[in-house]
């Protein structure tokens, strides 16, 4: 698997807490998409690993599910051209 699996062609709103670290799924195989559950560890040739980010404030963030965003982990509308 050299390209990530498109989990779905729309983002998911995730409620985050300031100062808390989250792990965004980069492979598209997570059962907890858009967040990582470690599913990438079962892929032999995977260049995938979770992308960790820390919330700068409490609120809602729109995270990418197509895994092709140019601004990970945030949705940039890349799913619209798939």
């Amino acid at each position: 698997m050299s390209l990530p699996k498109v989990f779905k062609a729309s983002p998911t709103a995730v409620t985050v807490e300031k100062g808390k670290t989250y792990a965004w799924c980069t492979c598209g195989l997570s059962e907890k998409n858009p967040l990582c559950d470690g599913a990438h560890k079962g892929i032999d040739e995977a260049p995938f690993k979770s992308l960790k980010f820390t919330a700068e404030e409490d609120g809602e963030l729109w995270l990418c599910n197509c895994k092709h965003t140019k601004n990970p982990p945030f949705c940039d509308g890349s799913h619209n051209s798939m």
Side-chain angles (χ1 to χ4, degrees), residues 42-80:
I43 306 169
D44 292 334
E45 58 184 83
F48 302 104
K49 61 182 180 177
S50 61
L51 181 128
K52 294 182 180 172
F53 68 96
T54 302
E56 295 180 7
E57 56 188 49
D58 291 342
E60 186 176 82
L61 299 175
W62 288 90
L63 301 184
C64 173
N65 280 314
C66 77
K67 312 305 176 186
H68 289 83
T69 181
K70 305 282 188 283
N71 187 28
F74 310 107
C75 176
D76 68 359
S78 291
H79 61 273
N80 291 320

Side-chain angles (χ1 to χ4, degrees), residues 14-45:
V14 175
T15 302
V16 296
E17 297 175 32
K18 180 180 180 176
K20 187 173 177 183
T21 299
Y22 298 86
W24 177 67
C25 171
T26 63
C27 70
L29 299 175
S30 174
E31 298 273 333
K32 296 181 178 182
N33 259 297
L35 301 176
C36 179
D37 68 0
H40 62 274
K41 294 177 184 174
I43 306 169
D44 292 334
E45 58 184 83

